[in-house]
Amino acid sequence: MTQSDAQTHDRVKQALRIQRIETPSWAYANSGTRFKVFPQEGVPRNPYEKIADAAVVHRLTGVAPTVALHIPWDRVDDYADLAKYAADQGVALGAINANVFQDNDYKLGSVTNPDPGVRRKAIDHLLECVDIMDRTGSRDLKLWFSDGTNYPGQDDIRARQDRLAAALRETYDRLGDHQRLLLEYKLFEPAFYATDVPDWGTAYAHCLELGPKAQVVIDTGHHAPGTNIEFIVAFLLRAGKLGAFDFNSRFYADDDLMVGAADPFQLFRIMYEIVRGDALGPEAGIAFMLDQCHNIEPKIPAIIRSVLNVQEATAKALLVDAAALAAAQQAGDVLGANAVLMDAYHTDVRPLLAELRAELGLDPDPMAAYARSGYFDKIRAERVGGQQAGWGA
Ligand code: RM4
Ligand code: MN
């Protein structure tokens, strides 16, 4: 290794040391497609057991110290106690996800419903989520609305935007000084004609109107096929409006597969824009979260694999030779610039990551370490009886 290679190697490891990835409580539970959710052995039966599993992922990877909650799936009587349990396990509670999509009242929408009574109920839930954040110490309220219409003429598209804006305003005004509202968009599903927050532009416009504590969430599975997600990353970062990612991967629609599985090159391009925007560290305030469903694959290993995939894409992004890239771009050297990026992408970063883990006192191979740990046998034996957690549980 030349001296400059060694310097690059150290710089990349240093950046990876501070990277943080948040795992979702619901990914440890039973979830899947709308056709069938296949229950698995050893699945958590309550939020405490989900946190115990998240803590295992953190202990093995060293970079997943927080776990996102979904309300009401993770409703408990005493959130301070849940936060204390998490701390005892070596993790902390992360973003609070509101859920205004699973109640019969929300058939025609939640915050954009034509019925003011239903809107009130939905907004009250959002406010309740902020109350919970006060108790868990969470910084982020993550909002995704399934609201929309299935048929032209079904409801007034413009009035629904007004209702949405009013609900967001009331929620925003309830936030504490250090809390944020993160608004997520999704092209379609469950609404098939007009979704009320269908794209990043709509989310961005609402966040701009709300103020500095409102930022956009990019769920990587929520776009039309072929959408250039790294462009959205670059744009929102430049505007100071990128708040978080929901990472997952997809072949067709909102598949919620393991991030980096379907298109590792896309994940690399996204992480390159993060590195380019100097937004990897905690001071940039970007929450790097997973939002996945593991229906046929074992849950904890799938989450470990996802964390490793994000780390690998990040390591490759950090390897891009910024000076060489800038020089090629400046010279109009199209092929040269592309080659600089591709060189980094084609680098096998697994040895570097193994070395980093060894330095951090971790097993260099977290997948193998989990398989050896006996944790699965333990939860399979212990978690019998009771109700397995899942969608709506
Ligand atoms: C939605 C959206 C949200 C997630 C739910 C489970 O499609 O991605 O982020 O909370 O699914
Ligand atoms: Mn999401």
Side-chain angles (χ1 to χ4, degrees), residues 70 73 97 142 144 184 186 219 222 246 254 291 391:
H70 218 296
W73 301 339
N97 287 255
K142 181 144 72 68
W144 171 71
E184 182 174 349
K186 177 170 157 176
D219 183 312
H222 287 189
D246 267 1
D254 189 18
D291 177 13
W391 298 121

